[in-house]
Amino acid sequence: MGKELQKLKEENDELKSRNQFLEEIINNAPAFIYINQVDKIGDTATMKNVWGNKFYHDDIKYSREEIDKLGFDFFKKILHPEELAYTEASIEYLKHLSDKDVFGGVGRVLSKNALEYQWHNSSAKIHKRKADGTPWQFIGIGFPLKENVQTDKQFLDLIKENMQLKNKLLLKSISKREKDIIKLIANGDNTEEISKKLNLSEHTTNTHRKNILKKLQLHNTAALVNFAVENGLN
């Protein structure tokens, strides 16, 4: 019995040593590592951060207790409004991911009590699924970009690529009928002309136009035309 207890003690000590080693690596890594959880895909309000390493908390300046208390409001506080809008639009997209898919990009983050947003680069993938296979937790890694990097051509190219990826996510919310209307708007057709070509009432056409602007987070027709041209919808 003595030998068995000694063996169990040695195994326990080894396990503690290994865990301590891994914890040191995670907390000393020069990047933030985090786990976000979405309890119900399609319901943005159920999204929350459930874990972050030391670098993560040091960077955003929020404690574990504060993040847990805020829930989804935590993302409202740290994410730039444009990034938050894309996050909300992409929640539904998450359920189509495979365990190998990696998503992410660059975005602006506001640390607690900071006056300006800082650009961050991050990537994430599915960490855990529910029993029915629905994505549940997502593990991510990222780092803040230094100011001198933000003026480099490589960074500007990254921003352009990031916007293209975000636009693809937004386009997933657009129906075929709405895409037809976008194309006609981009080609210069007015409401009356669009209605005749698609056999719609002018009221229905205007309703579609308003819904399109809302889905794409655009404010006017000029911005919609630019979006159409940039994404090959003209």
Side-chain angles (χ1 to χ4, degrees):
M1 180 65 72
K3 291 183 178 180
E4 291 181 358
L5 288 176
Q6 180 62 29
K7 184 179 180 180
L8 288 174
K9 182 179 181 304
E10 291 175 354
E11 291 176 348
N12 187 51
D13 290 342
E14 182 181 352
L15 183 60
K16 286 183 178 179
S17 177
R18 186 183 306 169
N19 288 340
Q20 183 179 358
F21 175 70
L22 293 174
E23 186 175 347
E24 289 176 353
I25 291 177
I26 291 171
N27 284 322
N28 289 323
F32 52 80
I33 305 172
Y34 61 91
I35 295 177
N36 290 337
Q37 180 172 303
V38 182
D39 290 330
K40 184 180 179 181
I41 296 296
D43 185 356
T44 308
T46 67
M47 179 178 172
K48 55 190 174 185
N49 171 267
V50 296
W51 182 85
N53 68 341
K54 184 177 183 299
F55 191 98
Y56 181 83
H57 289 285
D58 288 347
D59 182 61
I60 60 174
K61 313 300 183 188
Y62 284 87
S63 68
R64 179 74 265 154
E65 291 75 16
E66 289 174 316
I67 295 174
D68 291 341
K69 184 177 180 179
L70 286 168
F72 181 69
D73 286 340
F74 166 67
F75 298 106
K76 292 182 179 179
K77 287 183 175 293
I78 69 168
L79 294 181
H80 188 277
E82 291 182 6
E83 268 70 68
L84 182 64
Y86 285 120
T87 297
E88 294 175 339
S90 64
I91 289 293
E92 182 69 16
Y93 169 74
L94 297 178
K95 68 182 181 183
H96 302 295
L97 294 176
S98 73
D99 290 347
K100 294 182 179 180
D101 287 329
V102 177
F103 61 96
V106 292
R108 287 153 290 185
V109 174
L110 186 68
S111 299
K112 185 179 180 182
N113 298 325
L115 299 177
E116 296 182 355
Y117 287 90
Q118 183 177 14
W119 284 99
H120 285 64
N121 185 24
S122 61
S123 297
K125 65 188 297 292
I126 293 175
H127 176 55
K128 289 183 179 180
R129 293 179 180 269
K130 294 183 178 180
D132 63 2
T134 304
W136 180 47
Q137 292 186 341
F138 304 84
I139 185 169
I141 185 170
F143 53 88
L145 297 173
K146 297 180 180 179
E147 292 183 6
N148 63 313
V149 175
Q150 298 180 23
T151 59
D152 290 348
K153 181 179 182 301
Q154 184 178 5
F155 174 74
L156 297 177
D157 289 342
L158 185 61
I159 290 292
K160 183 177 180 180
E161 179 183 350
N162 191 59
M163 289 303 297
Q164 290 173 341
L165 290 173
K166 288 179 176 178
N167 287 343
K168 287 182 180 179
L169 288 176
L170 290 177
L171 283 172
K172 288 182 178 293
S173 67
I174 300 297
S175 68
K176 183 181 183 303
R177 172 64 78 188
E178 289 170 335
K179 287 181 180 179
D180 291 338
I181 293 175
I182 292 174
K183 290 179 181 179
L184 293 174
I185 292 174
N187 288 331
D189 290 354
N190 59 33
T191 299
E192 182 180 358
E193 292 169 331
I194 294 172
S195 299
K196 288 180 178 179
K197 289 181 178 180
L198 298 180
N199 195 27
L200 300 171
S201 69
E202 292 189 18
H203 173 74
T204 299
T205 298
N206 283 327
T207 299
H208 277 305
R209 184 194 296 264
K210 292 178 182 178
N211 289 338
I212 290 169
L213 291 175
K214 183 178 180 180
K215 287 182 178 181
L216 297 180
Q217 284 106 44
L218 301 174
H219 302 292
N220 52 53
T221 300
L224 178 58
V225 172
N226 288 334
F227 181 94
V229 173
E230 291 175 356
N231 293 278
L233 293 177
N234 58 324

